[in-house]
Amino acid sequence: MPEVGGKTIETLFSAEDIAARNLDLARQISDGHFHDLLVISILKGSFIFAADLIRAMHDVGVEPHVEFITVSSYGAGTESGQVRLLRDIDSDVSGRDVLLIDDILESGKTLKFVRDLMLERGARSVSIAVLLDKSVRRKTDIEADFKGFECPDYFVVGYGMDVGHAFRQLPFVGWVKD
Ligand code: IMP
Ligand code: MG
């Protein structure tokens, strides 16, 4: 079992499993026949997933524009609460198909906030791709159009996801055992 920063990490999804799944997701996105597609990576947690997914999209012939938005959710401990926009995209989304990429869909508050913002701005459609879906924690009526894996109810790290900015560098997704 990997030891990182003095902690034991139990692997949930290996780098190989994630890479294979990213290619499946890219093919599904390609079948969506999006028009004037703008991909928006929701920072910070999605940066590695988005980087891999957009390259898998390239491999299957999808040619998106790519943007970044930074949002933050404040709440007690690891529970997400109020969502705040920290850094906006630069692009005009009106009339465009938008694909939001996030690391994990949990309560749904983060993705609902960004989706509603893009719809208010006149996006033609807003779809959602997430690596992980922790559906037992959902508190909104939002669902992902493209999802990598159903996630067990652990606080997970790696592949961009952190605890206090640690563990983002791991090429796999796991949870901290001790
Ligand atoms: P939601 O707003 O509750 O759906 O939470 C989504 C955001 O919370 C994600 O974009 C993640 O950045 C963060 N998050 C939720 N669960 C985890 C986790 O298990 N590990 C790391 N980050 C998480
Ligand atoms: Mg996030």
Side-chain angles (χ1 to χ4, degrees), residues 28-45:
Q28 289 172 29
I29 291 164
S30 163
D31 290 343
H33 301 294
F34 294 112
H35 165 76
D36 195 15
L37 181 62
L38 177 67
V39 161
I40 303 177
S41 162
I42 302 178
L43 298 177
K44 305 180 181 113

Side-chain angles (χ1 to χ4, degrees), residues 42 44-46 71 73 78-81 83 102-111 132 134 137-138 142 151 154-157 161-163 168:
I42 302 178
K44 305 180 181 113
S46 80
V71 297
S73 62
T78 54
E79 294 275 321
S80 100
V83 182
D102 207 358
D103 48 1
I104 180 162
L105 172 57
E106 200 171 288
S107 74
K109 288 177 187 170
T110 303
L111 277 159
L132 302 176
K134 212 188 276 181
R137 293 265 172 176
R138 196 81 82 255
I142 207 156
C151 185
Y154 296 117
F155 192 81
V156 296
V157 297
M161 292 175 280
D162 70 310
V163 182
R168 292 194 201 273

Side-chain angles (χ1 to χ4, degrees), residues 3 6-9 175-178:
E3 284 257 344
K7 305 273 187 192
T8 306
I9 312 286
W175 59 282
V176 183
K177 269 196 97 175
D178 48 24

Side-chain angles (χ1 to χ4, degrees), residues 20 25 38 49 56 74 87 97 122 129 136 140 148 152 156 162 166 173:
L25 293 179
L38 177 67
F49 176 48
Y74 293 92
R87 190 192 181 284
D97 287 330
V136 295
T140 58
V156 296
D162 70 310
V173 173

Side-chain angles (χ1 to χ4, degrees), residues 94-167:
S94 63
R96 306 183 72 174
D97 287 330
V98 171
L99 176 66
L100 305 178
I101 299 185
D102 207 358
D103 48 1
I104 180 162
L105 172 57
E106 200 171 288
S107 74
K109 288 177 187 170
T110 303
L111 277 159
K112 188 172 165 48
F113 174 87
V114 180
R115 186 190 65 178
D116 290 352
L117 186 63
M118 298 307 149
L119 287 171
E120 269 168 36
R121 291 176 180 176
R124 190 173 89 130
S125 70
V126 181
S127 307
I128 292 171
V130 295
L131 179 70
L132 302 176
D133 185 0
K134 212 188 276 181
S135 55
V136 295
R137 293 265 172 176
R138 196 81 82 255
K139 293 199 177 98
T140 58
D141 61 359
I142 207 156
E143 292 301 334
D145 302 278
F146 308 97
K147 88 173 187 185
F149 304 96
E150 181 65 33
C151 185
D153 193 14
Y154 296 117
F155 192 81
V156 296
V157 297
Y159 202 66
M161 292 175 280
D162 70 310
V163 182
H165 303 294
F167 305 115

